[in-house]
Amino acid sequence: MEPLTTEMILVMIMIGIAVFLFIVEWIRVDVVAILMMVSLPLLHLVTPTEAFIGFASNAVISIIAVIIIGAGLDKTGLINGLVQPVLRIAGKSPSRVIIAISVTVAGISSFMQNIGAAALFLPAIQRISKQLKIPLSKLLMPIGFSAILGGTITLVGCSPLILLNDLLAPFHLKPFGLFDVTPIGLALVASGIACFMLLGRFILPKGTTDDDHTDIQLEGQDNLPALGEQYELHTPVDFTDYREPVTVSDLRQRYLVNVVAIIEPPDFKVTSPGSDIEVRSDIDLVVCGKKKDVTRMAEDEGLLLKEDVDVFKDDVSESTSGTVEAVVAPRSSLVGKTLNQANLQDQFRVTPLAIYRRDETYRAEISNMVLEVGDSIFLHGTWRRLKILQEERSLLFTTPVDVEFMRPEKAMLAGFWLAVALSMIMFFKIQLSVSLMTGALGMIVTRVLSIDEAYSSVDWRTIFLLAGLIPLGIATEKTGTAAWIAHAILNTIGTVQPIVLLTVIGILSTVFTLVISNVGATVLLVPLVVNMAIAAHTDPRVAALVVGLATSNSFMLPTHQVNALYMGPGRYRSVDFMKAGLVVSIVFLVVMIGMISLIYGV
Amino acid sequence: MAIITISRGSYSKGKEVAEMVASKLGYDCISREVLIKASDHFNIPEVKLIRAIHDAPSILERFDRKRQAFVAFIRSELACRVSTDNVVYHGLAGHLLLKGIPHVLKVRIIAQLEDRIITAESQRAGISKEKARTLLLNDDQERRKWTQSLYGVDPWDSSLYDLVIHIHKLQVNDAVELICDAATRDQFKTTDKYKRKMDDFAIACQVKAALVDQFSEVGVTSHFGNALIFAKSGDRVGQKLKKRVKELNNEIKGINNLEIHFGLPLPPDAV
């Protein structure tokens, strides 16, 4: 074994720092990646060119193109269009509903980001839960897990697999093809769904339907009992006489009633007014609240409660405005901020009505609550303003608000360009990044989406995370650190069967992906396992593939973006993920190793 | 239309002052009945409540949740009682138990030790001068320790009060006049806003008293009858707390909305 050099020690320290920062999350994961990108050349562990080569990598370009293609498909409603036929096929049986949606989500997830596929189906699943009276907690976890598993069906399904060929390049190993992983991916999806079909009743939380479990209902503007309904009131002519001014925020604090529209004298209509807007004499206002609270307010403040919304009937009608549930997205800029700091009311002119967090509805004093990933915020506003907020991408809307902004007429074109990209990869064997970028460009040129929409759809955090960690992989390999660690591990465990080695790698990748990001785990582990496999006379490509696949084995903690997204609406607790996730993770490892040994003859 | 608390050392003529102020203003004068009511309401022997609010806690007792619970019971009873307004309270720690209520006139009556010894001798038959001195010094010491351990303040700190009157050159009648004059000033008048604040305080105190036995660490605020319970996260305790809170809506009058906020920092005005 080679002696340990100073460079190797430095690389190990940098890996240690990266893993530590990934776990403690003092700074965001993408910032950790940038830190690596900058410090590695400063320490002379990589050249400046190598430090930034990640941005020009196939993986990063492929991810950008996949995101743009996904946004294009989303924009035309092509995927939304799948929902209805799938539901028709599913019928009313809970098992069939789970299978049909899971298979569809897994299919979509195989060529777009997992989180995108999961978010797309959330509103439909919520509707089904209510219509068929199936508890949401019984539906969301199987479907969410399928979205993650679907990422293993093709080589563009998830970031680790997209990254795989780039990480294999320094070893001069043959790259994987787009569908090389498909048999394994399909087996994983099938086994995941089977797990829930056979063991669902034991591993899923009991839960109840939305109707009796919580008093929040998720769609339909006339059907939000916990948040109440809309009422129009009129203030008397002497409302402001001999009293302290009453503001919109006073009414909210005192009566838990939200003013969603108000007249500013003489007759200027304001929807979703700011919290400091004063309620004047002899004006009309529309509030959203529970009847008992609104009645109490009317009595205490001497307001006239009208029978119907009259003055504002066009401004707060269902066609112009409504209430949506929006989930705080993983890595959202809102995480760690209060609603007061986020200032949604002033920035976007939407009114937060309530927050739903871990089985608890919060209506009072919500403006000072520090937001967490998975919190559901109920927002009221005009569809146009809600759409602007949605485009800002810090919140994932579980209720569609974009009817008027869709471009359904471009659906065929979007489908065509996806087919072009896929055929370039499959039949003409053109490189992944070139083929996918062609598809993305095609969508932009044919105006499926504008170039600005394409740019804004790209999640730069993912790009920097990928590009920033690639030099760490290069440094690990170049300095011989990976080879050294691989030998050290092999010396410790002695000679083992290839299948045992692959299982150990699978377990190692699973543990890594749970505590650090899947991309981080892949970048750190691929050079390591390739060296281990070479030393142990096992196929290094297969070892790398195990890492690429097993980094999707992220079910036991709500750390994966999809799990974090479904945790709030599904009202899951961490323990629910541990219970179901443990079973699915074990099945995942067994099926993956089984399929690999079957296909690659290990 | 005011709430007056009179804090006093033993035999400082504070009781006399309180009774005369109440009689002059036509207010209710309350002291021990708060303890009796708390004793009835929460089914705790009065002597235990007195000990909880009078004796300084020993080192072990500082970790005893019972004492906190007893103080919460007394505070709840006191808050309900004074929320009816026009009250002079001269019991123990009124100014601290009603902390945060803006229109409470907080008075401290002090007297020279020698004068207090004389009063003690005259009021308690057979007590020697020395014994009276020891008794008063011990009593003062206990009070000091009690307020310091529970509220981290010294009862002799004059900034805790609006008015500190030394009964020496100024006599009881002078003190009564000064207090009555202060009580009628605008800042101590019970406006609608202050009344609402007092009602909210009483609600928060009642909710806290109802929960403190099982969930000693919760904090409670109320704003216009919207009570918020601040609790640490924790699935098992959380479920129990939720169950208990559901029953409270019917037990306590004046609550419009009751929510538990898990894992949020305790606001400074929480009881």
Side-chain angles (χ1 to χ4, degrees), chain A residues 192-467:
Chain A
I193 297 174
C195 254
F196 284 105
M197 289 299 104
L198 299 172
L199 305 170
R201 75 181 72 175
F202 306 112
I203 58 176
L204 281 172
K206 293 238 167 354
T208 45
T209 51
D210 264 0
D211 284 338
D212 42 36
H213 177 59
T214 90
D215 34 15
I216 289 182
Q217 310 224 343
L218 304 163
E219 77 273 15
Q221 301 318 305
D222 51 345
N223 210 3
L224 295 160
L227 309 174
E229 290 175 31
Q230 290 181 356
Y231 300 91
E232 190 169 287
L233 299 108
H234 187 86
T235 57
V237 276
D238 59 351
F239 183 70
T240 50
D241 293 358
Y242 307 109
R243 66 178 299 171
E244 285 185 20
V246 178
T247 62
V248 164
S249 102
D250 288 336
L251 296 182
R252 176 173 169 72
Q253 281 192 345
R254 292 174 194 175
Y255 308 104
L256 305 180
V257 157
N258 293 286
V259 178
V260 294
I262 193 166
I263 299 268
E264 278 273 76
D267 54 4
F268 184 57
K269 285 178 181 173
V270 182
T271 49
S272 293
S275 50
D276 53 348
I277 297 275
E278 210 179 300
V279 182
R280 313 272 184 173
S281 303
D282 199 19
I283 54 121
D284 297 288
L285 66 156
V286 177
V287 297
C288 183
K290 287 185 181 178
K291 180 138 198 196
K292 71 171 174 86
D293 291 329
V294 177
T295 315
R296 182 164 63 93
M297 175 180 78
E299 279 169 12
D300 285 7
E301 303 287 341
L303 307 176
L304 172 73
L305 178 57
K306 298 185 190 176
E307 290 205 348
D308 291 305
V309 177
D310 170 31
V311 178
F312 287 97
K313 66 176 181 291
D314 294 330
D315 307 271
V316 295
S317 73
E318 281 180 31
S319 58
T320 51
S321 68
T323 303
V324 296
E325 183 185 13
V327 181
V328 178
R331 289 192 260 150
S332 157
S333 59
L334 296 179
V335 176
K337 282 187 185 165
T338 62
L339 279 178
N340 255 350
Q341 291 164 335
N343 211 2
L344 298 179
Q345 200 135 14
D346 285 348
Q347 272 196 59
F348 298 97
R349 284 268 173 244
V350 295
T351 309
L353 306 177
I355 293 179
Y356 194 95
R357 173 186 295 171
R358 285 191 287 275
D359 216 14
E360 204 61 42
T361 311
Y362 298 96
R363 292 198 303 143
E365 310 267 338
I366 54 170
S367 47
N368 291 323
M369 283 175 69
V370 178
L371 296 173
E372 296 173 7
V373 173
D375 281 353
S376 295
I377 309 173
F378 290 84
L379 297 164
H380 186 281
T382 60
W383 296 125
R384 189 164 284 276
R385 284 169 186 169
L386 287 167
K387 176 67 191 165
I388 295 169
L389 175 62
Q390 188 185 28
E391 280 174 352
E392 207 250 352
R393 294 162 64 86
S394 43
L395 291 167
L396 292 167
F397 281 48
T398 62
T399 324
V401 293
D402 44 8
V403 189
E404 56 184 303
F405 299 91
M406 296 292 257
R407 293 181 197 129
E409 70 282 1
K410 301 276 185 185
M412 292 301 284
L413 274 173
F416 169 74
W417 285 113
L418 175 67
V420 167
L422 293 179
S423 9
M424 281 170 76
I425 302 166
M426 282 153 57
F427 306 119
F428 300 99
K429 307 284 177 205
I430 298 172
Q431 213 174 21
L432 215 61
S433 49
V434 179
S435 311
L436 292 168
M437 205 40 110
T438 309
L441 177 68
M443 286 197 184
I444 293 161
V445 172
T446 51
R447 299 198 179 161
V448 171
L449 75 175
S450 71
I451 184 73
D452 287 331
E453 283 168 340
Y455 286 150
S456 63
S457 68
V458 175
D459 180 9
W460 291 104
R461 289 168 288 202
T462 309
I463 304 304
F464 272 85
L465 176 66
L466 275 171

